[in-house]
Amino acid sequence: MRFSTGLLVVGIAMTADAQTQYTSTGVAAVAAAAATAKTLSPVSSIRGNQFDRFINIWLENTDIDMAAGDPSLQWVAKQGITLNNYNAITHPSQPNYVASVGGDTHWVWEDWMFRIDSDVRTIVDLLEDGGVSWGLYQEDMPYSGFEGNWVNHKTGANDYVRKHNPLMSYDSVTSNEDRLAKSKNFTMFYRDLEADTLPQWMFITPNMTNDGHDSSVTVAGAWTKRFLEPLLSNPTFMQNTLIMLTFDETECYICRNRVFSVLLGDVIPSSLRGTMNDTSFNHYSIMSTVEHNWDLGNLGLNDEKAPIMFNK
Ligand SMILES: *[C@@H]1O[C@H](CO)[C@@H](O)[C@H](O)[C@H]1NC(C)=O
Ligand SMILES: *[C@@H]1O[C@H](CO)[C@@H](O)[C@H](O)[C@H]1NC(C)=O
Ligand SMILES: *[C@@H]1O[C@H](CO)[C@@H](O)[C@H](O)[C@H]1NC(C)=O
């Protein structure tokens, strides 16, 4: 475990009252790096046992009752299966993201510039061994593979943060240029969608306003509906597709860490849309579901025994 000292990675400055501000590298430095940043959009078509495409979308810090009461998220729930007993792993954010792709929190206990040793494997190693294309879409990331944090330079608001990009804490990803090149922004998402070059495995993180972190569940819910509604009827996107919408953790630290989660997509039979499933799942189920779908094996960590979320 090390703290990153890379040129493009800068520290977090705690303000005296409450909200953490994420400082970011200068506009000029980022523009220069963006000009030469490598971007990759490889595709594949490996048949899965339950689905052929998997999309994970994460929102932030919301108690389940708040989410379940939001009209936009109620609309989302009607399109799929609500997982009524789905639990986050821990607090705060970063270890949850880290766990969802690595089968363990790997001693990441805080939101910080942690670096997990390069011999620690992730879902990416399993996907690549199985020939399954993958990519991340992170709203407002200034360029593909950017390793720092980024604020909106017009308003000063937090925008893209490293801690909400699940793979950025892993040296096995950041030390590999071709892997970094698959961490892309939403401009690239819509370009890949248009060109039909989306990968089979995706992780999507909206910006710090749209994911609810610096706003409210109303904003996060409205973003989710706005983002998903056109995709749910888009035949380029819906190719035997399973979408998993969830929250990283509850806002309340002393409550049970049960988070609002919905499975969506054209693989969900119409008879199950708008229903609830009471089986107990957690963020490790994201890995086990994907591993089982493409017969990828597992990392032998918490992913190995986590219950599978979707059996067609
Ligand atoms: C998104 O990433 C691409 C590829 O690195 C970059 O050229 C583009 O400027 C970025 N878009 C935005 C809005 O930051
Ligand atoms: C987040 O994205 C929305 C568009 O989806 C944009 O209007 C907003 O300015 C972004 N937030 C920040 C802090 O940049
Ligand atoms: C809930 O999901 C599990 C895992 O996919 C499945 O085995 C079970 O049949 C589901 N229950 C209902 C009521 O759909």
Side-chain angles (χ1 to χ4, degrees), residues 196-217:
D196 199 5
T197 53
L198 288 170
Q200 287 189 273
W201 181 98
M202 286 169 242
F203 192 103
I204 295 182
T205 310
N207 70 29
M208 289 280 276
T209 303
N210 287 333
D211 71 4
H213 187 283
D214 290 351
S215 56
S216 64
V217 70

Side-chain angles (χ1 to χ4, degrees), residues 2-199:
R2 293 182 296 277
F3 292 99
S4 178
T5 52
L7 191 67
L8 293 171
V9 179
V10 291
I12 299 169
M14 292 284 189
T15 49
D17 48 12
Q19 200 174 45
T20 307
Q21 287 296 322
Y22 295 89
T23 54
S24 59
T25 45
V27 177
V30 166
T36 55
K38 187 171 185 176
T39 299
L40 292 174
S41 300
V43 293
S44 60
S45 49
I46 307 293
R47 288 307 271 185
N49 297 318
Q50 275 85 35
F51 46 88
D52 296 329
R53 179 177 272 171
F54 180 76
I55 296 106
N56 210 187
I57 304 175
W58 279 41
L59 304 173
E60 275 283 315
N61 300 12
T62 302
D63 295 343
I64 191 157
D65 296 350
M66 293 289 288
D70 176 70
S72 305
L73 292 175
Q74 286 171 352
W75 178 89
V76 171
K78 283 202 192 79
Q79 322 304 313
I81 305 171
T82 301
L83 303 177
N84 207 28
N85 191 2
Y86 183 99
N87 302 278
I89 306 293
T90 183
H91 297 289
S93 298
Q94 192 169 344
N96 286 293
Y97 287 80
V98 161
S100 77
V101 293
D104 195 276
T105 58
H106 295 295
W107 299 100
V108 170
W109 71 89
E110 248 299 8
D111 292 336
W112 199 256
M113 295 293 168
F114 290 109
R115 291 177 55 185
I116 300 161
D117 288 343
S118 59
D119 58 353
V120 174
R121 301 199 311 151
T122 69
I123 189 73
V124 157
D125 295 279
L126 301 178
L127 291 167
E128 288 181 356
D129 287 351
V132 179
S133 54
W134 61 274
L136 301 92
Y137 295 99
Q138 305 276 312
E139 187 168 28
D140 292 330
M141 190 180 206
Y143 58 84
S144 302
F146 175 70
E147 293 181 66
N149 294 304
W150 189 242
V151 298
N152 181 318
H153 284 267
K154 287 199 193 85
T155 62
N158 295 324
D159 209 350
Y160 162 80
V161 288
R162 178 185 183 270
K163 65 174 180 158
H164 295 170
N165 181 327
L167 288 167
M168 274 299 163
S169 302
Y170 288 93
D171 270 9
S172 60
V173 172
T174 57
S175 63
N176 180 323
E177 199 193 13
D178 285 357
R179 287 179 170 182
L180 275 180
K182 292 175 200 126
S183 254
K184 300 176 271 188
N185 57 35
F186 277 19
T187 311
M188 292 303 303
F189 173 79
Y190 286 106
R191 195 171 299 174
D192 289 344
L193 175 66
E194 183 75 19
D196 199 5
T197 53
L198 288 170

